[in-house]
């Protein structure tokens, strides 16, 4: 097992598995699949890392990061396929193409395409037998709501259970009131 980059020792994955704070490990990912841990407001399974630099890819990534930041923080796990009917971790498929360049791109998207920017993203690369899984931990933010531009208008995503929804005008107003 190899864990690189700064990573929180207690993530939403730890919480879902009922574990004490420890560095994230491949064993944790295997346990999540074995236990069929379901997505929730602070945990999201993604089959693969965002590939390429298309607007659609960037928009999907920034939506997910802004939603976590707007919802009190959480963990996105890249390289785990979910069961679409239950939102449970189904299998480890591995995330490829992880390097410093990809990390810089994702940080740049979070900084330049989310308003206000989301800071402090923590990435952990976990490897075993050539299979890579990436954990992205987004901290709770005092700067909510974080907005993204989608279809020419600002939207404020947030997590609701296993999914992402967009805040109503009243929810956005409430976030602005509580963040000052």
């Amino acid at each position: 097992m190899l864990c690189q980059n700064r990573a929180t020792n207690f993530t939403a994955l730890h919480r879902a598995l009922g574990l004490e704070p420890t560095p994230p490990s491949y064993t944790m990912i295997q346990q999540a699949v074995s236990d069929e841990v379901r997505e929730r407001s602070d945990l999201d399974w993604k089959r693969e890392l965002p590939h390429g630099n298309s607007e659609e890819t960037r928009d999907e990534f920034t939506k997910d990061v802004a939603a976590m930041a707007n919802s009190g923080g959480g963990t996105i796990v890249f390289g785990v396929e979910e069961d679409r009917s239950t939102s449970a971790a189904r299998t480890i498929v591995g995330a490829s193409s992880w390097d410093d360049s990809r990390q810089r791109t994702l940080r740049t998207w979070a900084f330049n395409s989310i308003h206000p920017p989301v800071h402090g993203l923590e990435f952990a690369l976990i490897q075993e037998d050539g299979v890579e899984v990436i954990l992205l931990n987004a901290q709770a933010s005092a700067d909510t709501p974080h907005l993204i531009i989608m279809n020419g208008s600002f939207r404020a995503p947030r997590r609701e259970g296993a999914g992402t929804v967009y805040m109503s005008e009243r929810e956005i107003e409430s976030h602005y009131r509580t963040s000052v």
Side-chain angles (χ1 to χ4, degrees):
M1 176 207 38
L2 172 68
C3 184
Q4 296 178 339
N5 304 329
R6 194 179 104 204
T8 302
N9 285 333
F10 190 78
T11 66
L13 183 56
H14 288 81
R15 188 177 302 108
L17 294 170
L19 299 175
E20 296 293 321
T22 58
S25 69
Y26 196 82
T27 303
M28 289 173 56
I29 306 299
Q30 290 172 314
Q31 183 181 348
V33 170
S34 175
D35 293 354
E36 298 180 344
V37 172
R38 293 178 183 225
E39 287 186 341
R40 37 196 245 182
S41 62
D42 64 351
L43 181 61
D44 193 6
W45 305 116
K46 296 290 180 190
R47 179 175 172 74
E48 57 190 14
L49 281 165
H51 291 288
N53 292 313
S54 72
E55 186 175 323
E56 180 181 336
T57 300
R58 184 198 65 225
D59 290 351
E60 179 67 19
F61 175 78
T62 57
K63 172 191 65 100
D64 292 335
V65 170
M68 284 294 181
N70 284 337
S71 301
T75 304
I76 302 171
V77 181
F78 296 97
V80 175
E81 185 174 353
E82 70 181 90
D83 180 323
R84 292 303 220 174
S85 63
T86 65
S87 297
R90 181 170 61 185
T91 188
I92 300 171
V93 294
S96 60
S97 304
W98 185 250
D99 57 21
D100 288 339
S101 175
R102 174 62 33 200
Q103 185 176 158
R104 277 192 306 277
T105 297
L106 299 179
R107 287 183 188 281
T108 298
W109 288 351
F111 187 81
N112 291 334
S113 300
I114 301 174
H115 311 283
V118 174
H119 299 281
L121 296 180
E122 298 173 337
F123 293 94
L125 167 61
I126 300 168
Q127 287 180 312
E128 185 166 293
D129 296 330
V131 178
E132 298 178 350
V133 175
I134 309 298
L135 270 67
L136 182 162
N137 200 50
Q139 300 295 323
S141 175
D143 294 331
T144 63
H146 293 279
L147 307 172
I148 60 170
I149 298 176
M150 183 174 277
N151 300 323
S153 64
F154 280 105
R155 307 290 303 268
R158 67 172 171 79
R159 294 287 293 176
E160 185 171 292
T164 298
V165 298
Y166 296 97
M167 293 182 199
S168 67
E169 288 181 35
R170 292 200 186 275
E171 286 177 291
I172 293 170
E173 177 185 16
S174 175
H175 273 260
Y176 278 125
R177 282 189 189 156
T178 59
S179 69
V180 284

